[in-house]
Amino acid sequence: MKILILSILVAGAISTSTIAQVAGFNSLHPLSGRWAVSVEGGATYTKADFRNSLFDYYARVMGEYFFATKNVGIFGVRAFTGLGRLNGSGGVSGYVDPNTGLLIDEFKTPIILLGGGLNYAFEVSDKVFPYVYAGASYLYFDPKDVNGDRLPNNSRKKYSRNEVSLQGELGIRFLLSTDLSLNFNGSLYYVNSDELDDVIKGRDNDIFFTFLGGVSFYFGGVKDSDADGVRDEDDVCPETPQGVRVDEFGCPVDTDGDGVPDYLDRCPGTRSNIIVNADGCPLDSDEDGVPDYLDQCPNTPLNVPVDTRGCPFDSDGDGVPDYMDNCPDTPAGTEVDKFGCPLKSQEKELPQITRMTLSGEVNFAVGKANLQPAANNKLNKLVKVLYDNPDTRWRIQGHTDNTGSYTLNKKLSLERAWAVADYLISKGIDALRLEVEGVSSDFPIADNSTNSGRKLNRRVSIELIDGVAESERVTTASLDDVSYNKAVERNVGNMIFTDGRLYCFQLSSWRSYDSAVREVDRLQAQGENAFIVEMHNLQGLEGTWYRVRIGYFNSLQETRDHRANVIR
């Protein structure tokens, strides 16, 4: 029976320890790293061979240390000393006083204990700590009668008064303050002896119980001011709110690494390297509902509806968002102005003269660069064209045949080109509109082996090279037809364009390059020679437009007929 009781106590200690460790909690245990000095007193209750078990007194003093932990349960070590007395009555059959022959009715055994062991306390609340203890101690006992005289076997030294006792204890601590607790406990002491009552070889080994109450005084300990489970000396974030999960440094856990701790993070799954606001959500600077890292239109005005890209809706696809579009139902492919309305045609007539050649035989003295009077009439016609078309630029090239020194011919061709340029400048033409070159005999237009051919090669050519403003220049085209001069083209009506020799017409214009490509693919599938011309910052138009055209044709009438057939 006695062994069974002790086994139950030990099993209870082990199971309680296991439950406490599994539960776990975040902050340090209130007893972590603390020392305790306890004074307790109470009663003993002895189960010996005497018929009646009686209560008597017991008192002890003990010291304990508790190891730091974040579990709800905490281990500690204990050392103690105690003294008291065991008591029983009713006698034992056959156990008599050898001097009188009378039955010995009662025993009183003083005891002294000195021992230690392990205890385990777990936190039910911040004030209540049940605990279990198991240990061993040195036991001194001295069985006596009611008069204080040693009992017969004791006086005759039939056994040793020194034994080892095993102890199991269950108790509870009520923390009255951080440094003081009120304690209650009950203990079982098992001794591998049957002489506590002086009766040798009785029914079973003797055991006794103690029931104590007392106080413990605490000092030292590990400081964890914010109760996050990380001692203050290691805590990088010492003011963490209570109950917040922290890392090994005592700082709130930030699972997605966005700089906002989980307990404040309203968007806990944010991808790394994304800028977030104070709530841990991706920043949305223009407050359009699309975070900056996805927003392709980051400066959308407040309260403007946007699509999934964060860009204002553009229902008619003309490149002007709905909130700015004064003509919201413009047909697809129509060029519009910055207000979303169809652009009025800006037709320009080509200059009447786009090319002029001055023969070297007629217009210059032989071997000289001086202009002859015969050249003035032709050049005056060109002066009028330049006045009427102030946005045009022209190339003036001097040419020679291949007779004589190449170097001298190069010099003469440049001088003759400048003679023409100087005449035009003298008539008020801006020199910046003229490009002057001397190319010697590099570009013949006739056979230099004949006299007539050499005469044709001795010339000055004047050619229109640029007829549009910088903002209107063509920057890209999918077709590279070198016979068509895109730099000097003019709109001659109905979106038909010409450089003065060849023609093409425009079907549509798009803000989106992908849309323009799809249109070209559709037209090419129908056998049309379609291509894209990219235009930047046209007058009345902002940004880039991708124009879809079909070409080229040799006459305006042919172009008109083909256009009518395509768009019918």
Side-chain angles (χ1 to χ4, degrees):
M1 172 61 77
K2 299 170 185 177
I3 296 176
L4 178 61
I5 294 173
L6 184 61
S7 300
I8 292 173
L9 285 173
V10 173
I14 295 172
S15 61
T16 305
S17 168
T18 304
I19 292 170
Q21 291 186 61
V22 170
F25 63 176
N26 192 48
S27 61
L28 284 171
H29 195 285
L31 299 180
S32 286
R34 306 209 74 184
W35 295 88
V37 174
S38 303
V39 178
E40 297 176 338
T44 61
Y45 183 77
T46 308
K47 293 292 288 182
D49 297 311
F50 279 61
R51 291 185 178 88
N52 302 318
S53 298
L54 302 177
F55 289 98
D56 215 315
Y57 72 90
Y58 180 75
R60 71 180 177 186
V61 176
M62 61 184 179
E64 296 170 290
Y65 175 76
F66 297 93
F67 300 100
T69 182
K70 290 198 293 185
N71 292 327
V72 292
I74 186 169
F75 279 104
V77 292
R78 174 192 294 182
F80 73 94
T81 183
L83 59 89
R85 191 167 64 187
L86 307 178
N87 197 351
S89 67
V92 177
S93 177
Y95 180 58
V96 297
D97 186 339
N99 296 322
T100 65
L102 297 176
L103 184 71
I104 298 175
D105 183 64
E106 188 174 355
F107 73 92
K108 294 181 181 289
T109 303
I111 58 172
I112 298 175
L113 292 166
L114 180 64
L118 294 175
N119 59 11
Y120 191 90
F122 57 98
E123 184 179 359
V124 173
S125 71
D126 58 351
K127 302 293 184 183
V128 181
F129 303 91
Y131 71 88
V132 295
Y133 167 82
S137 60
Y138 160 76
L139 170 65
Y140 172 80
F141 63 99
D142 190 11
K144 296 180 180 180
D145 59 21
V146 292
N147 298 318
D149 297 323
R150 285 176 172 167
L151 291 173
N153 292 327
N154 183 16
S155 63
R156 285 182 285 183
K157 298 182 180 180
K158 293 285 187 175
Y159 51 81
S160 172
R161 301 188 187 101
N162 304 291
E163 285 289 350
V164 173
S165 171
L166 300 180
Q167 178 186 359
E169 179 176 310
L170 294 176
I172 189 167
R173 301 170 187 264
F174 298 96
L175 206 60
L176 304 179
S177 70
T178 56
D179 300 323
L180 178 67
S181 71
L182 178 64
N183 312 327
F184 298 98
N185 58 74
S187 301
L188 164 66
Y189 292 83
Y190 172 79
V191 184
N192 191 26
S193 169
D194 190 34
E195 290 86 26
L196 294 181
D197 55 1
D198 197 53
V199 177
I200 300 175
K201 296 181 180 179
R203 296 188 304 273
D204 202 349
N205 288 344
D206 299 330
I207 62 172
F208 64 94
F209 300 88
T210 61
F211 305 96
L212 306 176
V215 293
S216 295
F217 302 92
Y218 301 91
F219 56 95
V222 176
K223 296 293 184 182
D224 179 17
S225 303
D226 55 5
D228 62 358
V230 178
R231 62 185 71 195
D232 287 356
E233 61 191 65
D234 298 327
D235 201 335
V236 178
C237 303
E239 297 180 355
T240 304
Q242 194 155 6
V244 172
R245 190 163 63 97
V246 300
D247 58 22
E248 59 186 308
F249 305 107
C251 293
V253 173
D254 177 17
T255 305
D256 56 8
D258 60 2
V260 179
D262 289 356
Y263 79 99
L264 294 175
D265 201 336
R266 296 175 59 187
C267 302
T270 305
R271 289 171 12 204
S272 59
N273 301 321
I274 290 176
I275 300 175
V276 299
N277 58 22
D279 295 323
C281 295
L283 199 62
D284 179 16
S285 302
D286 55 7
E287 299 181 13
D288 60 358
V290 178
D292 289 357
Y293 78 99
L294 294 174
D295 201 335
Q296 297 182 28
C297 302
N299 298 313
T300 304
L302 196 62
N303 298 323
V304 170
V306 297
D307 57 22
T308 55
R309 300 176 300 119
C311 293
F313 285 108
D314 178 17
S315 303
D316 55 8
D318 62 0
V320 179
D322 291 352
Y323 78 98
M324 296 176 59
D325 200 336
N326 292 339
C327 301
D329 297 317
T330 305
T334 303
E335 269 185 354
V336 298
D337 58 22
K338 62 182 178 180
F339 303 108
C341 294
L343 191 68
K344 294 181 180 179
S345 176
Q346 297 181 357
E347 300 178 8
K348 294 183 180 179
E349 295 292 336
L350 284 172
Q352 294 177 346
I353 300 174
T354 61
R355 184 177 301 169
M356 178 181 290
T357 301
L358 300 178
S359 168
E361 296 296 317
V362 177
N363 298 289
F364 295 93
V366 178
K368 302 292 183 180
N370 300 326
L371 279 171
Q372 298 283 52
N376 293 347
N377 288 335
K378 295 188 72 173
L379 290 177
N380 287 338
K381 293 179 181 179
L382 182 61
V383 168
K384 184 178 186 310
V385 172
L386 267 64
Y387 271 125
D388 293 341
N389 299 273
D391 59 344
T392 57
R393 295 180 66 251
W394 300 74
R395 180 183 295 115
I396 304 172
Q397 284 185 335
H399 301 262
T400 67
D401 59 26
N402 65 352
T403 59
S405 166
Y406 179 86
T407 302
L408 291 177
N409 285 338
K410 180 82 169 178
K411 179 175 180 292
L412 178 61
S413 64
L414 182 61
E415 289 175 348
R416 285 183 171 179
W418 269 111
V420 173
D422 288 340
Y423 182 84
L424 297 176
I425 292 170
S426 71
K427 297 299 183 179
I429 304 303
D430 187 349
L432 295 177
R433 296 174 60 192
L434 307 176
E435 183 180 301
V436 182
E437 296 177 338
V439 295
S440 186
S441 58
D442 289 342
F443 299 99
I445 58 173
D447 188 355
N448 272 316
S449 65
T450 65
N451 186 48
S452 60
R454 286 191 293 273
K455 286 182 180 181
L456 291 173
N457 288 334
R458 295 191 290 271
R459 71 197 189 279
V460 172
S461 63
I462 308 163
E463 183 178 13
L464 177 68
I465 59 171
D466 191 358
V468 293
E470 183 68 22
S471 63
E472 295 176 313
R473 289 186 188 168
V474 176
T475 59
T476 356
S478 61
L479 294 182
D480 185 18
D481 190 340
V482 294
S483 66
Y484 183 83
N485 188 352
K486 291 181 283 289
V488 300
E489 70 176 12
R490 286 294 185 274
N491 184 348
V492 295
N494 291 324
M495 300 303 285
I496 297 175
F497 297 84
T498 181
D499 67 346
R501 293 177 298 113
L502 296 175
Y503 296 82
C504 63
F505 63 89
Q506 184 168 308
L507 278 179
S508 60
S509 187
W510 307 86
R511 287 286 194 186
S512 166
Y513 179 75
D514 291 340
S515 299
V517 169
R518 285 194 293 270
E519 178 74 355
V520 167
D521 289 344
R522 183 184 68 82
L523 292 168
Q524 289 180 349
Q526 296 173 2
E528 299 294 344
N529 190 20
F531 55 93
I532 296 174
V533 176
E534 183 178 330
M535 311 295 284
H536 297 291
N537 297 321
L538 298 168
Q539 182 179 357
L541 296 172
E542 296 180 350
T544 301
W545 288 84
Y546 302 96
R547 291 176 160 178
V548 177
R549 294 183 180 179
I550 293 177
Y552 294 100
F553 307 95
N554 292 316
S555 69
L556 178 58
Q557 188 58 47
E558 180 188 3
T559 308
R560 286 172 175 168
D561 292 344
H562 195 91
R563 178 178 179 276
N565 186 57
V566 170
I567 65 174
R568 66 184 178 187

